[in-house]
Amino acid sequence: MRDDFLHKLITSLIKENSVICIEDLAVSNMVKNHKLALSLADSAALASLRASASWSKFVEMLEYKALWHDRLVQKVSTFYPSSQTFIKSGFINPQVKDLKLREWSCPTCSNYNLRDNNAALNILGEGLRLIAKSPVRGFQELRGLFKTAAVGIPEALNACGELVSPEVI
């Protein structure tokens, strides 16, 4: 059931997105924190094994399916302050390290934000920045992800040999 769910979720993500940015989480380290372990896995006794296996399986499947479908997966460093940095003002709130704090207002611009939504936008922005900065992956890989059209004099016949120009019809 878990594998089926992962396959369906990942296929949906891959088909809907050209670029997917994810945080490069070290789940095995996260489950050492007993408060996190219960929320990351099904049972406390198997927390480390299951959580790290599920996340690593998710990432592995995401990466190979991205290759199959000419999509790009960009990992963002674990140490990037995605949930602490407010996307609109750039203010870094160190209090957000407390996982109980799920929403907060920015003291510089007074805008309200949800921790997870803000983190997702920051991860996307950082991932796209890393792709654009990379000399190997930047333009060459992105060029193949998006459909392009040639500009110039249109052809007079389509693939079936019929005339294309409306004036001629």
Side-chain angles (χ1 to χ4, degrees):
M1 286 176 62
R2 189 175 291 172
D3 285 351
D4 183 57
F5 171 76
L6 284 175
H7 277 289
K8 288 177 181 175
L9 173 66
I10 291 168
T11 300
S12 169
L13 288 171
I14 291 293
K15 286 184 177 183
E16 294 173 3
N17 302 284
S18 296
V19 177
I20 299 173
C21 301
I22 60 172
E23 192 170 8
D24 191 15
L25 297 174
V27 179
S28 58
N29 290 338
M30 293 170 67
V31 294
K32 290 176 185 174
N33 177 339
H34 297 291
K35 292 177 185 175
L36 287 175
L38 291 175
S39 62
L40 290 172
D42 295 337
S43 69
L46 299 173
S48 179
L49 178 63
R50 285 187 181 167
S52 61
S54 294
W55 178 253
S56 61
K57 187 174 208 172
F58 173 80
V59 172
E60 180 183 313
M61 289 171 67
L62 185 66
E63 288 176 332
Y64 81 71
K65 285 191 180 205
L67 283 173
W68 286 357
H69 295 279
D70 291 327
R71 301 297 197 252
L72 188 60
V73 174
Q74 175 63 52
K75 292 181 180 178
V76 174
S77 170
T78 306
F79 301 106
Y80 178 72
S82 58
S83 57
Q84 298 172 17
T85 306
F86 186 49
I87 189 80
K88 293 181 181 176
S89 67
F91 175 77
I92 297 177
N93 186 351
Q95 295 176 347
V96 182
K97 285 188 177 184
D98 179 9
L99 294 177
K100 292 177 186 172
L101 185 62
R102 306 307 303 167
E103 48 194 57
W104 54 283
S105 293
C106 177
T108 58
C109 64
S110 300
N111 283 320
Y112 169 82
N113 76 79
L114 299 172
R115 174 197 181 103
D116 295 334
N117 291 351
N118 184 60
L121 292 172
N122 280 326
I123 289 169
L124 175 63
E126 178 66 4
L128 294 175
R129 186 189 71 76
L130 291 171
I131 291 169
K133 185 177 107 173
S134 172
V136 176
R137 294 177 64 176
F139 178 70
Q140 294 301 324
E141 279 194 40
L142 287 177
R143 188 174 66 177
L145 295 176
F146 302 102
K147 301 233 183 268
T148 57
V151 178
I153 300 171
E155 296 179 17
L157 300 176
N158 65 15
C160 296
E162 299 169 337
L163 294 172
V164 175
S165 176
E167 302 89 48
V168 178
I169 296 173

